[in-house]
Structures are given as C-alpha cells and as structure tokens.
Amino acid sequence: MTNDWQQTACILCECNCGIVVQLDGRTLAKIRGDKKHPASKGYTCNKALRLDHYQNNRNRLTSPMRRRPDGGYEEIDWDTAIAEIAAGFTHIRDTYGGDKILYYGGGGQGNHLGGAYSGAFLKAIGARYRSNALAQEKTGEAWVDAHFYGGHTRGEFEHAEVSVFVGKNPWMSQSFPRARTVLNDIAKNPRRSMIVIDPVLTDTAKMADLHLRVRPGTDVWCLAAMAAVLVQEDLCNEEFLASHVSGADVVREVLRDIDIDDYAHRCGVDPELIRAATRRIAGADSVAVFEDLGIQQAPNSTVCSYLNKLLWILTGSFAKRGGQHLHSSFGPLLRHSTDVGRTPVTGAPVLGGLVPSNVVPQEILSDHPDRFRALIVESSNPAHSLADSGACRVAFESLELMVVIDVAMTETARLAHYVLPAASQFEKPEATFFNFEFPRNTFHLRHPLLDPLPGTLSEPEIWARLVRALGVVDDAELRPLRAAAEAGLDAYAVAFMQAVSANPMFGKVLPYVLYETLGPTLPDGLAGAAALWGLAQNVAQAYPDAIRRAGHRDGNALFEAILTNRSGVTFTLHEYADDFALIRHADRKIHLDTMPELLEEIRRLPDVPTQYTTAEFPIVLSAGERRPFTANDILRDPSWRKRDVEGALRVSVEDAQELGLVDGAQARITTPAGGAMATVEISETMLPGHASLPNGYGLDFTDEAGAVRIPGVAPNSLTSTQWRDEYAGTPWHKHVPARIESIH
C-alpha cells in the first residue's frame, strides 16, 4: 500500500466533499476528509468511507455488450460498438427525425464532466429532448425561481439566525457544506433557531427549536398559513419590498383572505405553533430556507415552492449575511427559464429543458408519429429510479434502439441493445456542477486515482468516438486548433474564437472540438477536462469582478488554477450587494406577480383535498427515504451496509398495533401500482397513517459465491406515473396511497 494520500471527492451526494485516499493496488484502502478542500474543509460523513464498494464492484463491466436476438448479451469490440451505434442513430434521424431520440442522464452525484460532452453528439444527430433525475425533483422550483428572479438561490446556513428546512433532513441528506457541523452549531447557539416542517421526526427535527409536524402531503396549507401570518400581522419588511420587490401587493391581497386557524387544522399543526414559528422568522436578522424532496415529490409541490420562498422574500432576508442568495454557476444543470415547452405525445410541460420523468413511458408506448423511438442513457438507471418501473421496462423494451453508458450492468442496461462500459469516477478526471454556495463558490476537478479498468473508456472518449463516426467534422479542420493549443492557452483562445466563427458545425460540437484539440495538451491524463476551458471563459465573462476577487485574472488563469489545485479552488468571491446584480430581470427586482396560475391555486386551497388515501389504500407511503446506509444506485454492493440491510418498512407505533405488525417480521405492502414484501421496523418517528421505504434498495448484485441477491424493496415498483404535479410533472414518490398487511 502506498503511503501517499491522493485528493479526490466523495460521489454519494451533491456536496461532493473533498477526501484524500490511500491506495492498496486498485483498492481505496483508507479514506478521510481533505482539510485543504475549500468547501468541505476536512468534513465528511460515514458514507464516504464505503467508496471502495463502488470502485471495486464485482458487477463492473469491462467490454461493450450487444444484445443478441435471444435476449442475451455478447461481448463486442469498441470499434464495432461505435460503428453500429452511430449507424443506428443515423438511421433513426434519417428515417424519423433526430427529435425522436431521447437522452436521459448526464451524470450522477459526482460525474457531471462526462455528461458535458454528450451535447456534441446529440446536436450532431439532431436530438432535442432530455431528461434526468432533476426532472423528478427540481423543475417546479426552478420554474418558480425563473419567474421570481431568474436563477437558483441557496441559504447561507452557516451564518443564518433562523434556518428553515421544509421536507428536508440535512443531517441525513447533507446538501450543503459541513451540514452536520453547521446543524450542531445552530443547535448549541441560543441566539439561533432551527425550524423544521416535516411529518417525520427526523434527525434534524429532533434538533429543531420548532418542529411543525404536518400531516403527509399538507405542507401547502402550513406554508400558506405562515405566509398569511406575515401579512395579517404586518410582519413584512416594507422597506425591502418597496425597494426590491414588484407585485408584493397582489400576493398580500391573496394571503389576507386565508383563514389561518382553518389551514392549521388542515395540516394538523397547532395554529399557535405556526404563528410562533412565523414570528421567529419575521424577527430574525437573517433567514435561510431549504426545500427538498419531502415537498418536491408530494402533492402541490410547485405551489409549495412558491409559498416557501415568500418566507424569506416578504421578510427581506436576501443579499445579507446568513440570508438567501443567488450564486454563480460553473456549469448550468438546467435552464432557469419561464418558458414552458411541451412533450410531443402527451403535451406534458417541459420545464428547465427537461422532459418530466413520469411521462417517459407514455412518450414511448404510443402510435403517435412523434413518439420517442430511441433512447440514450448515461450514468443513470431510470428503469429502477423512475415511477412505475414496470411500465418503464415495457417502454424501453419497445424501443428501436437503446444505448446505455455505465460502469455496471444495471436494471436499465439489461434492457438496452448496446451497453458501453465507462471508467469509474476514480479512473478519469471528473467534477460536479453542484456549485451553489455564496459568497465563496468552489469548483473541484478530481484527477484520476487509477488507470481505467481494461476494456473501459471515459465518457468524453466515448462521445468523441461517436462524433467521429458521424463524420460531421473533418480532422483536417481541427489541425490549426491543435497547433494553437501547443502554443499555449492565449494563442488557443484567439484561434478558437476564429475557428468557431468560421465553421458553424464547430458551434454545434464545441465539447468535441475542445477534447480533440486542447485535450491532448493537458497534463496528467486530464484530456477529459478540456470542456472546462470553455466553461471557465463563460464564468469569467459572467462574473468578472468575482473571479478576480477569488484570485483569477481571467478565464485562462481560472482554468489553469482548476488544473493545478487538486483539492479544488474558489472560483468566485462575491460581495453581498452582488445578489441584486445576479437578478436577471431588467429592473433587478424580485417579481412576485408573474405566476397568476399559482396565485389562483392558492385561492383554491380551501377546495383542494388534503388526502388521497382511500379505504382500500389508507396509508401514505413515502418511497425513497434517505437513511444512514442508503445511497444512490451506484453503490450496488449491499455489503457496505452495517445495519438496515434489507431496507425496513418503517411504520408508526399506532399502525403496528392496529395492523398486528411485529418489529423485524415480514409484512406485505400494496399500492395501486404493485406489491412487495418488506421487513417491518416500528418507529416513533412516523405519524399514524404514514410509512416509509428507503432509497437505493432492490438492486440486484452477484455475490462472491456467484449468487444473485436483491436485498430490500425497489421503491418504484410501488409508485405510479399518474400521480404527479400538475405544473412540473414531478412524481408523488413521497405520497403513495398504500395498504400494509401482516404476514403470519
């Protein structure tokens, strides 16, 4: 085992905390936090210590696979795979049109860099439609953000006087730097407060000063009541509203009519507790708010996003230390646009440029002439992660062409015509574009720790080979840029701008051009980082003062700093007043009155059902709870779990008594979409009528003896594509009507 500690990052949640690793051959033998990382500063949770279970998964693929007519798979060489796949997509484009090709993915929690190259192939082939995991969570919030101020906000919880978590358990799901350290600091400081809105007594809720324990799916009435308290008790920050907000009077008119006591009754929270929490928010110097999947995958999710943002907008907690902030972005994950596109078959809303995941099967299983006929999946497992996985399997099997790029033979890969084996996240340069912090925002290019496993390729190389196979760029056209790259970044920048202006195809396949010309000149096997040069130029143009404050002269200097600082860099350093400049409206104000349809939804709340359970399905199931030993699908090896090995079905004490459930025994859970057997865990954290299953289970795995194991329940065997938000199409994974029966 080498004694050298090498810098990299955890890839199991959006924080991507910096870690250092000691290798023993190809094993990640020792792992600890990287104290030099500018965001995480040595912090990490227990999950990072299990990363070797990802790197050395026995289910790793080491050869391209092609499906045989009998449904089995055969190994083929890379040249054959690339040629046949390129020909297949060319046939789809020429026969039906490139817009009949859907792309799903773009990276998991830490491998966004490979996905940056997909656009070159997709544009060259004429593909228009994309989807990924964000379309199951964040598109409704992003649409509200686009209307309000045109970008994404993040709370500065490290310094907030009051932190509010709505459907969010950061003790378990992290999502902002050093989450547990920050939560402990809040809990220990008598001058600070934590408010949690959640039906579950989560780890974070146990630390909270005020826990508004709403009934499942009723967050919208709680949030509306809180916003109404601000208006009806004259707690709004009038100076802030007058200077920085337009349309506030229209919103206040709607909120004045709300019966706060009635809404408190609907959500199951004492009205005085709602008033106390709201007054604490209004009286604070700074407030930071975080909404997450607990409301984003439940009824009225887009309306909830609208309402919870009012808590900090009406109180003016913006552009100040400890408040809510807009932030710089290194690479956009979705478009913050007010435009609403439509899918070709069902006419479902396309927000942020993403097709709602819930309609994907319907967009395929149709005789509509514009249905999707081909699918590319990159570093994602939609056959397992999308609602109604059974319908997804049927849809994917009907496609004329399906290609999966992944490190393992996933549930989705086993439905594909071709499977291309990718190098792991520790065998190639990688990065995340989850860069959301303010005033300091950071970016971390991870250098490869290991050579790619023989037979695998990095995603940038896979996409480059596919673009080459299309023949859309003559190699001779790239030679001047290759020569300029050898002369240095300044010479390359001049030559690049000239080449893109002169050759329209270069503009379509920019990542490919960068990889083929700048990539070979980069050191330490970092050819895959070439696309970051273009993004660094964009960052320098968008935030010139902020990158200079962070110590970078221009885009080239920023790119060089990214290449050489193995623990990551601060790429922008903002001042608090910059928040207003980051608002995209011409008047630099927050606009509250540009979504009349959501204001009408708030007016209609007295007539909206507070529950969707029935006598047949009386329990609300939350499918996909995060727990200490859950992670996304990339950790397929169940041996990393030290407890909750089977992913227990958590039920309340009251439901266990009524249904005759026994802790540790088996029960059957049934929903309109399907049924499964699960191990019962009786827990005081659950309200009566509420149960939960964890995420990351139900994945098959071949153990050392060669036996195939499938521990736990695949939660989306129980969810439905029909239960989704009206505006964003996001699924109701956290609100599935269910029935639980004891097995004797």
Side-chain angles (χ1 to χ4, degrees):
M1 184 173 73
T2 176
N3 290 323
D4 295 334
W5 289 94
Q6 299 188 53
Q7 298 96 330
T8 184
C10 178
I11 56 175
L12 299 180
C13 88
E14 68 186 78
C15 289
N16 300 114
C17 297
I19 57 174
V20 290
V21 174
Q22 279 189 345
L23 298 175
D24 186 355
R26 294 188 65 86
T27 300
L28 310 185
K30 293 184 179 180
I31 299 172
R32 68 187 188 197
D34 182 3
K35 295 180 180 179
K36 295 181 180 179
H37 192 276
S40 56
K41 302 176 183 177
Y43 172 91
T44 187
C45 74
N46 66 300
K47 296 181 184 182
L49 306 180
R50 312 285 188 247
L51 284 168
D52 191 63
H53 290 275
Y54 158 78
Q55 170 59 33
N56 292 299
N57 184 344
R58 284 185 293 276
N59 287 22
R60 286 285 303 274
L61 288 169
T62 57
S63 172
M65 308 293 286
R66 178 175 61 196
R67 193 164 78 193
R68 299 190 304 260
D70 64 4
Y73 286 86
E74 60 188 358
E75 294 185 1
I76 57 175
D77 63 81
W78 273 101
D79 289 344
T80 299
I82 294 296
E84 291 184 1
I85 290 169
F89 281 116
T90 299
H91 170 74
I92 297 290
R93 179 196 63 193
D94 294 345
T95 306
Y96 308 110
D99 59 342
K100 310 310 184 294
I101 300 168
L102 174 66
Y103 171 79
Y104 191 97
Q109 294 290 11
N111 60 320
H112 295 154
L113 186 53
Y117 291 88
S118 63
F121 178 77
L122 297 174
K123 288 182 180 179
I125 208 71
R128 288 178 46 201
Y129 292 100
R130 292 172 170 259
S131 189
N132 59 36
L134 293 175
Q136 292 206 90
E137 307 165 1
K138 307 297 180 186
T139 45
E141 181 188 13
W143 188 50
V144 174
D145 284 340
H147 279 275
F148 278 4
Y149 28 71
H152 177 258
T153 59
R154 174 59 63 90
E156 193 181 359
F157 299 98
E158 185 174 5
H159 302 299
E161 181 180 335
V162 174
S163 295
V164 184
F165 301 109
V166 189
K168 173 70 178 172
N169 179 16
W171 185 268
M172 199 57 63
S173 60
Q174 310 289 325
S175 300
F176 55 86
R178 303 168 52 252
R180 292 186 178 181
T181 300
V182 171
L183 292 174
N184 279 325
D185 289 345
I186 295 170
K188 293 175 183 176
N189 190 332
R191 294 185 296 275
R192 303 175 70 185
S193 296
M194 189 189 310
I195 298 171
V196 170
I197 303 173
D198 202 306
V200 181
L201 185 58
T202 64
D203 303 271
T204 307
K206 292 174 183 176
M207 305 174 71
D209 299 276
L210 297 165
H211 179 196
L212 281 59
R213 199 173 187 185
V214 295
R215 285 195 291 265
T218 63
D219 306 79
V220 69
W221 288 275
C222 181
L223 291 166
M226 295 176 75
V229 171
L230 290 174
V231 170
Q232 294 178 22
E233 296 189 6
D234 296 324
L235 300 176
C236 298
N237 185 327
E238 299 299 338
E239 181 180 354
F240 178 84
L241 295 178
S243 300
H244 302 296
V245 179
S246 70
D249 288 343
V250 176
V251 174
R252 286 194 279 199
E253 180 183 347
V254 175
L255 297 176
R256 283 194 186 97
D257 293 335
I258 285 175
D259 185 333
I260 294 167
D261 288 353
D262 175 56
Y263 279 28
H265 174 74
R266 289 168 186 260
C267 68
V269 179
D270 185 331
E272 291 311 309
L273 181 59
I274 288 177
R275 290 185 172 92
T278 309
R279 291 165 185 160
R280 180 67 182 96
I281 290 169
D285 287 335
S286 59
V287 178
V289 181
F290 202 132
E291 67 166 81
D292 210 357
L293 274 61
I295 62 166
Q296 291 173 343
Q297 294 186 337
N300 307 299
S301 61
T302 302
V303 183
C304 284
S305 293
Y306 186 101
L307 287 166
N308 86 67
K309 295 176 190 301
L310 295 182
L311 299 180
W312 59 265
I313 294 173
L314 294 179
T315 55
S317 192
F318 180 69
K320 60 168 66 173
R321 178 180 167 90
Q324 205 79 7
H325 305 285
L326 290 159
H327 55 79
S328 56
S329 295
F330 199 87
L333 292 172
L334 49 72
R335 296 199 300 267
H336 282 84
S337 170
T338 59
D339 295 337
V340 180
R342 296 290 168 181
T343 58
V345 175
T346 66
V350 177
L351 303 182
L354 298 177
V355 170
S357 303
N358 264 28
V359 304
V360 167
Q362 295 167 273
E363 296 289 330
I364 296 170
L365 294 171
S366 168
D367 59 2
H368 195 287
D370 293 330
R371 66 187 181 274
F372 295 134
R373 296 174 182 266
L375 174 65
I376 311 173
V377 177
E378 181 183 8
S379 299
S380 297
N381 191 6
H384 183 271
S385 62
L386 299 191
D388 195 348
S389 48
C392 289
R393 286 193 294 272
V394 173
F396 295 166
E397 287 173 338
S398 75
L399 289 162
E400 296 183 32
L401 179 60
M402 179 174 172
V403 176
V404 169
I405 302 170
D406 214 316
V407 299
M409 200 69 167
T410 65
E411 287 72 16
T412 303
R414 280 194 294 278
L415 304 172
H417 297 93
Y418 296 89
V419 185
L420 301 181
S424 83
Q425 293 196 45
F426 301 112
E427 297 168 354
K428 62 197 173 194
E430 259 302 357
T432 175
F433 297 140
F434 288 132
N435 318 110
F436 300 147
E437 304 313 313
F438 185 100
R440 293 179 177 272
N441 212 351
T442 62
F443 185 84
H444 185 193
L445 171 65
R446 291 140 33 208
H447 290 224
L449 301 180
L450 302 158
D451 292 330
L453 203 62
T456 68
L457 293 175
S458 70
E459 290 91 342
E461 178 62 22
I462 293 171
W463 291 115
R465 292 189 183 193
L466 286 169
V467 173
R468 287 180 210 138
L470 294 179
V472 295
V473 175
D474 191 315
D475 193 67
E477 297 175 287
L478 299 174
R479 289 173 190 159
L481 279 177
R482 290 193 178 109
E486 294 288 350
L489 292 180
D490 290 338
Y492 184 77
V494 174
F496 181 83
M497 297 305 174
Q498 292 173 345
V500 171
S501 298
N503 191 329
M505 180 53 69
F506 278 14
K508 287 188 176 182
V509 295
L510 280 179
Y512 169 76
V513 172
L514 290 167
Y515 180 76
E516 291 286 273
T517 58
L518 181 61
T521 70
L522 301 182
D524 305 324
L526 294 179
L532 299 179
W533 178 84
L535 294 175
Q537 309 308 312
N538 292 341
V539 169
Q541 290 181 2
Y543 320 107
D545 295 333
I547 72 154
R548 283 193 286 271
R549 287 192 209 103
H552 314 294
R553 179 187 67 258
D554 55 19
N556 283 344
L558 173 58
F559 180 63
E560 289 177 331
I562 288 169
L563 293 179
T564 57
N565 287 276
R566 295 199 173 205
S567 292
V569 299
T570 297
F571 72 92
T572 52
L573 176 55
H574 282 282
E575 296 176 347
Y576 287 109
D578 291 349
D579 261 324
F580 296 108
L582 293 173
I583 296 175
R584 296 183 186 177
H585 299 309
D587 60 4
R588 304 302 182 196
K589 289 186 176 183
I590 299 170
H591 291 190
L592 295 185
D593 58 349
T594 59
M595 306 187 80
E597 60 271 72
L598 295 192
L599 284 173
E600 184 58 32
E601 288 291 334
I602 296 170
R603 289 189 182 96
R604 290 181 55 249
L605 283 177
D607 302 319
V608 174
T610 58
Q611 62 183 35
Y612 295 89
T613 52
T614 64
E616 184 181 4
F617 300 107
I619 303 288
V620 173
L621 170 68
S622 289
E625 182 186 22
R626 294 181 183 179
R627 297 181 186 172
F629 287 93
T630 67
N632 290 336
D633 291 2
I634 63 171
L635 270 186
R636 301 183 66 86
D637 182 351
S639 64
W640 78 281
R641 298 188 177 103
K642 301 306 179 185
R643 59 180 185 271
D644 199 19
V645 176
E646 296 296 325
L649 172 66
R650 283 184 177 164
V651 300
S652 69
V653 174
E654 295 84 353
D655 288 335
Q657 292 172 346
E658 181 177 344
L659 300 172
L661 304 175
V662 178
D663 200 73
Q666 291 285 294
R668 180 165 186 81
I669 181 162
T670 307
T671 73
M677 302 292 292
T679 302
V680 171
E681 178 188 334
I682 301 171
S683 174
E684 294 182 350
T685 65
M686 307 302 296
L687 283 172
H690 192 202
S692 73
L693 282 169
N695 72 313
Y697 286 77
L699 300 166
D700 64 58
F701 180 78
T702 303
D703 64 19
E704 293 178 351
V708 177
R709 301 166 50 202
I710 308 178
V713 177
N716 285 305
S717 64
L718 303 172
T719 59
S720 170
T721 59
Q722 301 304 312
W723 294 69
R724 57 180 182 253
D725 183 71
E726 176 183 354
Y727 296 96
T730 44
W732 293 5
H733 288 338
K734 307 304 184 203
H735 201 89
V736 182
R739 179 175 68 252
I740 301 173
E741 300 164 287
S742 175
I743 301 299
H744 298 290

